[in-house]
Each structure stands twice: as C-alpha cells, then as structure tokens.
Amino acid sequence: MKKFLMLLALAGVASASMAQISGYEEIRTPDKYRVITNKFWDNWFFNVGGGASVLFGDGDAAANFGDRISPTLNVGVGKWFTPGLGLRLQYSGLQAKGLTSDVNADYIKGGQQSGGYYEQKFDYMNLHGDVLFNLSALIGGYNPKRVYEIIPYLGSGFTHNYTEPHRQSMSLNAGIINRFRLGSGVDLTLELAGVGLEDKFDSELDGKSGYDALGSVTVGITYKFPKRGFKRPAPQIISPQELRALRLGIAELAEANVALSEEVARKEAELDVERAREVISAIASEDDTDIAPRTVFFTIGSAELSPREKMNLDYLAERMKEYPDTQYVVMGYADSATGTSALNQKLSEKRAKSVIDYLKKQGVNTNRLTLQAGGGVDKFGTPVYLNRVVLVGTSY
C-alpha cells in the first residue's frame, strides 16, 4: 500500500507540473513581478513632443495667464532597466514670456505697459536627467500589452538662455508621464512637467520667492528601439538524464504495484476457495434433514447473488427437495456500519427475497420458506462483510 501511494504522488507531480520544452522539462513558477535584468543596449527609447509652458517669475502674476503661455519642445532619450525603473536625458524648452517692473531688467521687449510693467521674452533650454518610476508596473506587475501606464519622474539639470545676456541656472524637474500604448514599439504620451529654477533665470534677483518656476503640458510620441521588452526568468529545468531516472523510478513502482495487486487477489482467491471447501465438507458430513443453517454472502449495498453463492444454493435446493415436509426460515441481514437503519432494513429484506426467488427457480416450494429481515447488524463480528448475509435455517 505504501508503494502504491508513492506511485500516485509521483505520477501526480510528474503530470501536473511538467511541460516539454526543447528536450527539457520545465517546472513553471509564474510571477508577474519577476523579469530578467536586460543588457545595456536593451529597452532604449526616444521621445519627442510639443506643447505649451508658463513662466512663474517675480512679476509675472501681473499679466493675464493666457499672455504668459509660450511654446515648448521636448526631445529625450532613455532606457528602462526594469519594467518599473528607468533613466532619461531630455532637452526641454523653447521660449519664456513674463513681466518685470524693472526697466533695466534683461530680455525686455517693447515699451512700458499699463501698471508700469515691461514684457520679457527670451529663448532658453533645459537639459535635465530624470529617474522614471512606472507605477503601473511597480504595482500591477510587468505587462507589455498594458494600454495605459502612469510614470512619475524626478530629476535635475541646468538651463541656458540663448537670448543675450546668456544666463545659466540649476533646475529641479518633476512631472508625470501618461503613456498610452499604440503598438509594440510606439507610445503616445501626455507629459505634465514642473521645473524649479534659480531666481536669476529671468534676470530679476529681488523677488520675494527667491526662485522662478516653469510649468508645461506636452503631447508627444515615444519610439522604443528594437530589443524592447523584458523576458521572464527561465523556468527550473530537469535534464534528460534526471527525467529518465524519474521515469524509471515511476515504472519500477508501477511494476511493484501490479505485483502487489496480484498478490492481494491471489490471497483473496485462496480464502474463497478455503471457505468453499469448509462449506462443502460440512454439507457432505450431513446425513439428516438438518441441512441448515446455510450462509449466503453479498457484496456491499447489493442483493444480487454471486455465481459462487448460486452454486451453494443449487446444492441446498437439491437437499431441500429430498425432505419436502421440512419448513425453513430465510433471514436477511445488512451490516450496520454502512447505510441508514431504514436502508439496511430494506436491503436485508431484498437479500432474503433474492435467495427465496432463486430456490423457487430450482424447484423448491416457496410455501416451505418463511422470509424474515433483520436489518443492519454487527453481531457476526469482523470483518464487516460477515454481516452482509442471509441465513437459511430449519423451522420446527
């Protein structure tokens, strides 16, 4: 039995967890977060976009918001090291517009306006490096076919004003990239960006805030170079030699199980033969009308006579016909270990009737046979099949 259980366990593992791959067997361990770190030239991308930006300088709030909007351009290149973490170097900027109350300030275009302000306009660029965090991949796992992903970023860089006098300023960059998948190699992006700048960016150094800022909204396209995407970790594999050894072990256990089953069947057959010999010997020793009690055994839940029990009843019928005046009681039983009380009562009755019907076919007058049903019992001991019986005895 122990070998049989081991066989079932090994067979279940082998059939449920293995799949053929190029001469090897793999054991799958899926994990949506696990990927292989890619090579240096894998997962590079190029992005370009355009939109509008607004300058938040010392005196710019005096102007209408719409008058401060100016065009902006983004061009960048970057790489994803994991599905959730990447780096980008981006060139941003084009033009900035604002107001100043200082007539001697740089970048003034035109004369004094109402309120005593002067318009400023100058060209600039912002070169910055950013760390990208793909929240969709970090939270939801890697999915190369995800339609929408949200990607916050943080970075730093510097600005350069192309308009004279040229000025440079350090910058802090933050924003959110909304990425929409158009295909395996192309994405549509909507980028919301904010830039913090030194106060000298717009040449005004006497403001209250001590810094300048830019806000922008751009729409663009990202192209992912070939060798894009990430591979899942290679599944654990079993070599052909290990697989053959495993299969050989299963085959040996199967052979042992067959031999064990045959041995059990042989032992059961020997017991049946021995019991039949005992019954025949007891019958042969009888020389009077006391030919009973006789036992007729049944399988669990059944009232059908086996060929072996029919053979015993054939002999019993011949003996009954030799003594036509003798009355008999046919008492049926079921084992109380299985079934309900009502079901066992009905089953014991059906078993007794089955014996009577068979004796009738063999020529025994049923007026000599009294049917009784004892229901479920355990009085005949163990094993429990001894209680699945019909007893045929004489009635005086």
Side-chain angles (χ1 to χ4, degrees):
M1 181 59 68
K2 185 179 293 184
K3 290 183 177 180
F4 178 69
L5 293 175
M6 290 175 63
L7 171 64
L8 289 180
L10 283 173
V13 171
S15 61
S17 64
M18 296 184 182
Q20 187 72 28
I21 294 185
S22 303
Y24 287 81
E25 300 288 331
E26 70 167 342
I27 301 176
R28 300 183 182 275
T29 55
D31 187 338
K32 63 182 180 179
Y33 296 102
R34 294 185 61 192
V35 295
I36 298 175
T37 303
N38 54 33
K39 297 179 181 179
F40 179 78
W41 295 112
D42 294 350
N43 288 295
W44 284 85
F45 63 88
F46 172 80
N47 67 274
V48 60
S53 67
V54 175
L55 175 63
F56 297 90
D58 296 323
D60 299 328
N64 293 329
F65 184 83
D67 294 336
R68 294 155 54 193
I69 296 176
S70 56
T72 190
L73 174 70
N74 291 334
V75 178
V77 62
K79 170 182 168 59
W80 288 101
F81 293 91
T82 71
L85 182 65
L87 294 177
R88 178 183 68 174
L89 179 64
Q90 181 161 276
Y91 175 97
S92 304
L94 196 60
Q95 187 182 86
K97 293 192 298 183
L99 292 180
T100 179
S101 59
D102 184 1
V103 67
N104 297 314
D106 299 328
Y107 315 130
I108 291 178
K109 304 293 182 182
Q112 187 179 39
Q113 299 182 2
S114 60
Y117 286 95
Y118 299 88
E119 181 182 8
Q120 286 183 303
K121 183 183 295 185
F122 56 96
D123 300 329
Y124 75 98
M125 70 88 179
N126 177 23
L127 184 65
H128 53 98
D130 305 314
V131 182
L132 311 178
F133 304 93
N134 188 329
L135 290 185
S136 300
L138 291 172
I139 296 174
Y142 174 56
N143 181 2
K145 295 185 179 181
R146 185 177 284 119
V147 175
Y148 169 75
E149 293 183 309
I150 183 169
I151 307 171
Y153 66 85
L154 292 172
S156 63
F158 69 94
T159 63
H160 172 76
N161 294 351
Y162 292 115
T163 306
E164 293 185 351
H166 305 302
R167 293 182 181 276
Q168 287 77 37
S169 170
M170 300 301 296
S171 65
L172 293 176
N173 300 265
I176 296 176
I177 302 171
N178 299 273
R179 188 167 72 182
F180 302 87
R181 183 178 185 272
L182 299 180
S184 61
V186 181
D187 297 325
L188 176 68
T189 59
L190 173 63
E191 183 170 342
L192 310 177
V195 184
L197 304 155
E198 295 181 79
D199 197 28
K200 61 183 178 179
F201 175 71
D202 62 357
S203 79
E204 291 189 278
L205 301 176
D206 56 352
K208 295 182 180 180
S209 61
Y211 62 88
D212 295 326
L214 283 166
S216 65
V217 178
T218 57
V219 177
I221 293 291
T222 296
Y223 172 73
K224 292 174 280 187
F225 293 102
K227 295 185 178 181
R228 60 181 71 105
F230 292 85
K231 294 181 180 180
R232 298 291 188 186
Q236 181 182 353
I237 61 176
I238 301 177
S239 69
Q241 293 80 7
E242 294 171 322
L243 179 61
R244 282 195 296 269
L246 179 60
R247 287 175 173 168
L248 180 60
I250 292 175
E252 291 175 351
L253 286 175
E255 292 178 1
N257 180 60
V258 171
L260 182 61
S261 298
E262 292 176 350
E263 179 67 15
V264 171
R266 186 178 66 80
K267 291 293 184 182
E268 289 179 346
E270 290 178 356
L271 290 174
D272 289 341
V273 170
E274 184 65 25
R275 193 181 69 168
R277 286 174 179 173
E278 291 175 357
V279 171
I280 293 173
S281 176
I283 293 174
S285 66
E286 294 175 352
D287 55 0
D288 55 19
T289 59
D290 190 13
I291 62 174
R294 288 290 185 269
T295 56
V296 183
F297 290 96
F298 294 83
T299 59
I300 184 171
S302 173
E304 184 177 350
L305 292 167
S306 68
R308 181 181 59 198
E309 300 299 349
K310 288 180 180 179
M311 179 187 71
N312 293 333
L313 288 175
D314 288 341
Y315 180 82
L316 179 60
E318 294 300 320
R319 295 284 286 168
M320 284 179 171
K321 286 186 285 186
E322 293 178 6
Y323 305 93
D325 296 329
T326 304
Q327 298 292 315
Y328 299 93
V329 175
V330 181
M331 175 69 80
Y333 295 98
D335 73 271
S336 59
T338 57
T340 63
S341 177
L343 180 62
N344 286 333
Q345 182 65 33
K346 185 176 180 180
L347 181 58
S348 65
E349 182 179 344
K350 289 176 63 178
R351 286 171 173 169
K353 187 175 184 305
S354 178
V355 171
I356 291 175
D357 291 343
Y358 188 81
L359 291 173
K360 179 180 178 182
K361 290 181 182 179
Q362 310 310 312
V364 177
N365 187 348
T366 56
N367 292 331
R368 302 169 55 196
L369 307 176
T370 301
L371 186 151
Q372 294 184 11
V377 298
D378 62 357
K379 63 181 181 179
F380 299 116
T382 55
V384 294
Y385 72 79
L386 294 176
N387 298 294
R388 304 167 192 150
V389 67
V390 169
L391 299 180
V392 182
T394 55
S395 174
Y396 297 101

